[in-house]
Amino acid sequence: MKQIRPIAFIAALFLSLLCQAQEMIRISTSDHEMVMAAYNAGPVHFVYWGEKVQGDAFPFQPGKNQPDTQDDITPRIYPSYGGRHYLTPALRLTHSDGVLTTDLVYAGHTVSVLDENRKETVISLKDRIYPVTVSVRFLAYQKENVIAQSVTLSHSEPSQVVVESIASSFIPFHADSYWLTHFNGTWAHEMQLEEERLTHGQKVIESKKGVRATQSENPSFILSLDGPLAEDSGEVYAGALAWSGNYRLVFELDETGRLGVTSGINPFASELILEPGKYLETPQMILSYSPAGAGQLSRNMHDWARRYGMTHGDVLHPVLLNSWEGAYFTFDEKTIIDMIDKAASAGVEMFVLDDGWFGNRHPRNGDNAGLGDWQVNRKKLPRGIDHLADHAVSKGMRFGIWIEPEMVNPDSDLAHKHPEWIVRSGEREVLTMRNQWLLDLTNPEVQDFIVKTFDEVLGQSDNISYVKWDANRHVDNVGSTYLPADRQSHFWYEYVRRLYDVYERIRAKHPDIMIQLCSSGGGRLDYGALKYHDEFWASDNTNALDRIYIQHSTNLLFPAIATGSHVSTSPNHQTDMLIPLKFRFDVAMGGRLGMELQPSSLVGEEYEFSCKAIAVYKDFVRPLVQLGDLYRLESPYSGTGWSSHMHVAKDKSEAVMFAYCMKYNGRTTFFSTRLKGLDPESVYKVEEINEGNVPSFPAGTLTSTGDYLMKVGLQLRIDKPFSSCVLKISKIPCSDSQ
Ligand code: DGJ
């Protein structure tokens, strides 16, 4: 048995009496709260994040101080490098005199009500010795149960301070076990869900790719405490970094049993020099909590995203035909006019002209030339873009166009004219990726060029209402001829900040234009960029089977309204897989429905089916998928071979349910599932829509209470691979149900 050492005991008692928190700072939303304990000119501890605690009393319980081994058992809100903090610090500075440590203490806080839904709390910290100020900002979105955290750093030291690392947030957790869900991937295989139980040490999720940074891992996670992630139970936390460049999320389980999660821009090769009087701002970390599993967490994030995290998240998005897989680079005016005509007759609402429409001296007939020369190719399209856009409008459609303004082919006028605009590492070879180079956005001339390009592309016709913004390479051999020699490491941070400036300028001028965030599909899927866009292209993989996984994972934290999801041809161009048209439609309807094929290939029954499916989506499915609440019924990752989810209207009057069979499970097995999110007392009618040749809902039409549907559930006949079912669930008015 260990001996209690009296001196240590008396010292600890004295300390705990002395160390009464000066103030408990409670940052709350409708249902959850974060609580910090601030000591006068002392530390600010992160005490709690979870369900809202009733009442005003929130006594602070001092930790088990172990002054010899550790700073304090209770973690700080924003740990800096120094003292006895041995874990990954949120902030690491080299002060102007070369001192490597920082010791932040409480310097006050403010609370401002921004409007009826947003409350901002800013906790100010300052170094005990150096004139360094850190403001930790928490923006609490009441209704959506989301808190966005960010940090601003400034100083008035005699000369520059080097910021070695600066995170957006540090969140400590204490539980028996920690289960991390994160999203791994590669091109055409993005957002693959992985879950693991964290053990002692570090788990790091990061990107060093600079541009198209989310193609390998997404800067987001879900953390489940005390057990694997469940849909409707368990304490779960989500984080999504709003940043479109290099990022790093560190999960560190220490010897106290505590997990610290440090999230922010990646400090790798990114020292930032901060001059006195200047400030540095981190991106926001978007955080949410649910005491009832992943389902509620997703609905929080979706509600937040539609209102604050994207553009035009409250209006229905059109069904579109994108020309890429139907025409690639090989088209002329007739090809496009024919595509528009056929799409219009099928009920498609927008035509988007993808890559290949520009470049004259270096025509864009493949991915090896023309990028950067944003003038219409007169050989392919002699009457210009306006002719196509006007034609689309005359057919009752809208018109959109593709650009990739951050990039340039070596084989282009732009590359010859402005070699100094290209990202390069001194005298080293400038490496190509997809035959292209990256423009140096840190250079104001490049920023102006991109804004001008956007204006000029739109200026080709008053009838362009949508732009697909692509970005098809990473950053390698980093370097800028614009940035001074001692600021080369600023490139990563500056690129993203200047990209956001460009987006701001474009959005200020073109608030109504729809903009798709593409980046090779899924390459820039983050809330930093999505804020300026109406939707994202989730993956270049349009194979419906793969899309079930990609969309499932994507929609854990990003909303279906923003998830571009297209029906493509069979065999699929990426996988060669043969999949029936109904299944392809049923999967694509789970997002913002579109088409990605040559519409003239749809003839006879396939054409009729497509027209019907598009009408069903527009009439009933679209408002529910795009603006309703998502409830997942069966995960494609469950291993059962089925996947199912539903979207319920906010007032619970209607819902649509999707179910997919992904593999053969034997003759006797069948799929049944309980519905979710309905009003138990209301009576609903359930019927199949978008039927194929064989009905998949054996009951035909069923009428029962929400309670029955949520307890007893429904049986479907989807037992062959690529069979699927879509159900319409509509509340019967009281008078009709009696
Ligand atoms: C990558 C995108 O993800 C595709 O949809 C298409 O736009 C091509 N680029 C065009 O080059």
Side-chain angles (χ1 to χ4, degrees), residues 187 322 324 329 354-355 364 367 402 404 434 468 470-472 516 518-521 537 539-540 596:
W187 178 78
N322 186 57
W324 182 238
F329 295 104
D354 206 289
D355 202 349
R364 182 76 172 166
D367 62 16
W402 178 96
E404 191 179 4
R434 204 196 188 212
K468 173 174 175 175
D470 213 342
N472 287 299
Q516 188 195 68
C518 176
S519 197
S520 306
W537 180 227
S539 174
D540 265 354
E596 186 85 25

Side-chain angles (χ1 to χ4, degrees), residues 13-25:
L13 186 71
F14 180 63
L15 260 179
S16 76
L17 287 175
L18 248 188
C19 296
Q20 289 305 319
Q22 183 199 10
E23 186 149 12
M24 301 304 280
I25 304 169

Side-chain angles (χ1 to χ4, degrees), residues 494-559:
E494 281 296 311
Y495 188 98
V496 183
R497 281 282 175 229
R498 302 298 72 91
L499 176 68
Y500 294 165
D501 286 351
V502 165
Y503 287 157
E504 290 278 351
R505 288 166 67 186
I506 286 172
R507 270 300 176 203
K509 265 186 158 173
H510 307 285
D512 300 330
I513 294 287
M514 289 188 72
I515 310 180
Q516 188 195 68
L517 179 58
C518 176
S519 197
S520 306
R524 210 175 242 168
L525 178 51
D526 65 79
Y527 278 117
L530 189 56
K531 182 173 158 198
Y532 303 97
H533 295 77
D534 298 68
E535 58 177 36
F536 53 85
W537 180 227
S539 174
D540 265 354
N541 187 342
T542 55
N543 190 43
L545 181 63
D546 299 296
R547 272 299 184 125
I548 291 177
Y549 293 93
I550 292 171
Q551 289 171 199
H552 171 90
S553 310
T554 299
N555 294 152
L556 274 159
L557 299 176
F558 297 90

Side-chain angles (χ1 to χ4, degrees), residues 92-94 100 162-166 267-268 270-272:
R92 190 161 79 81
L93 304 177
T94 301
L100 299 175
V162 181
V163 183
E164 314 283 353
S165 71
I166 180 164
F268 181 81
S270 297
E271 303 75 36
L272 296 169

